[in-house]
Amino acid sequence: MTTALFDLIVLLPPIVLALLVLRIVWAKHRRARGALPGPPGLASEPHRIIAEKTADLAPRPSAEPPTPIESVETLLAKIDQATANGEKTSLSGLYYNLAAAYDRAGNTAARMSALRSAAGNGALHGPPSAHAAARLALGETAYEAGDLTSACEQWQMARAAYLEGGDHVQHERVEKRMRDNGCPTDWVLTDF
């Protein structure tokens, strides 16, 4: 009995150490592939990688000239007016623009609230492209915060919105982003 206990005490630490080393190597390998966010202390590099990975996920430019940048106050007034006039399909885009205005002002909490409103209104009233853009932004924010589960959920909803809108190219790009990060692509989500 003492020999078995002695053998266990002698063999257990090297086994635990070997498993720990394997876990660290595996995590570094996944992080290098972009499947996991980097450690919290490396702020500049992950943001550059995220920007490169999502550059082709952004809405494609149209033939129309870009909309001028509007202030938070102007966008809030437009949202109030659209709500009063029952113009529900314009709300998602207006909230998305409001999120961008809050982002320029550095108000992260208000930006997130506006993005959630854009996503909700886009899901309820369309257009699917605005819904998808808001979900992508929410997913990227979750990814940057290290919350891969939430990022996968948001990307899944963006993917479905692109499919609903008939944009198969964007649908495939989001699906690739999901696969590259280890997200399941066969989820059936409930309404959030």
Side-chain angles (χ1 to χ4, degrees):
M1 171 101 170
T2 343
T3 308
L5 183 61
F6 179 75
D7 289 344
L8 180 64
I9 291 172
V10 170
L11 292 176
L12 191 58
I15 292 171
V16 169
L17 182 62
L19 289 173
L20 181 61
V21 168
L22 283 173
R23 172 69 174 117
I24 291 170
V25 168
W26 179 73
K28 283 186 178 185
H29 174 73
R30 288 197 62 205
R31 198 170 285 119
R33 281 190 1 225
L36 290 177
L42 299 175
S44 63
E45 186 65 15
H47 293 294
R48 183 184 63 75
I49 293 169
I50 290 167
E52 289 173 2
K53 286 184 176 184
T54 59
D56 56 347
L57 293 177
R60 286 172 280 162
S62 64
E64 301 172 17
T67 309
I69 297 174
E70 297 175 296
S71 70
V72 169
E73 295 76 19
T74 302
L75 288 164
L76 287 171
K78 286 185 172 186
I79 289 169
D80 288 342
Q81 183 179 10
T83 303
N85 294 340
E87 298 168 1
K88 295 178 180 180
T89 56
S90 66
L91 289 174
S92 183
L94 289 170
Y95 275 112
Y96 188 81
N97 291 341
L98 180 63
Y102 280 131
D103 188 39
R104 287 189 302 275
N107 190 339
T108 304
R111 174 185 177 263
M112 293 305 295
S113 177
L115 280 174
R116 285 188 292 275
S117 293
N121 278 288
L124 291 173
H125 311 294
S129 59
H131 177 213
R135 293 293 179 186
L136 277 177
L138 288 167
E140 292 310 313
T141 301
Y143 180 85
E144 289 174 8
D147 185 356
L148 189 58
T149 301
S150 294
C152 288
E153 291 170 352
Q154 295 297 334
W155 292 333
Q156 169 67 20
M157 288 183 270
R159 183 182 78 142
Y162 279 129
L163 186 61
E164 178 187 340
D167 192 339
H168 299 288
V169 172
Q170 290 290 80
H171 173 267
E172 289 299 319
R173 286 180 178 159
V174 174
E175 187 163 317
K176 181 183 181 316
R177 176 88 162 117
M178 291 173 67
R179 281 192 311 267
D180 289 349
N181 284 282
C183 301
T185 58
D186 57 352
W187 284 352
V188 177
L189 295 174
T190 58
D191 291 343
F192 281 62

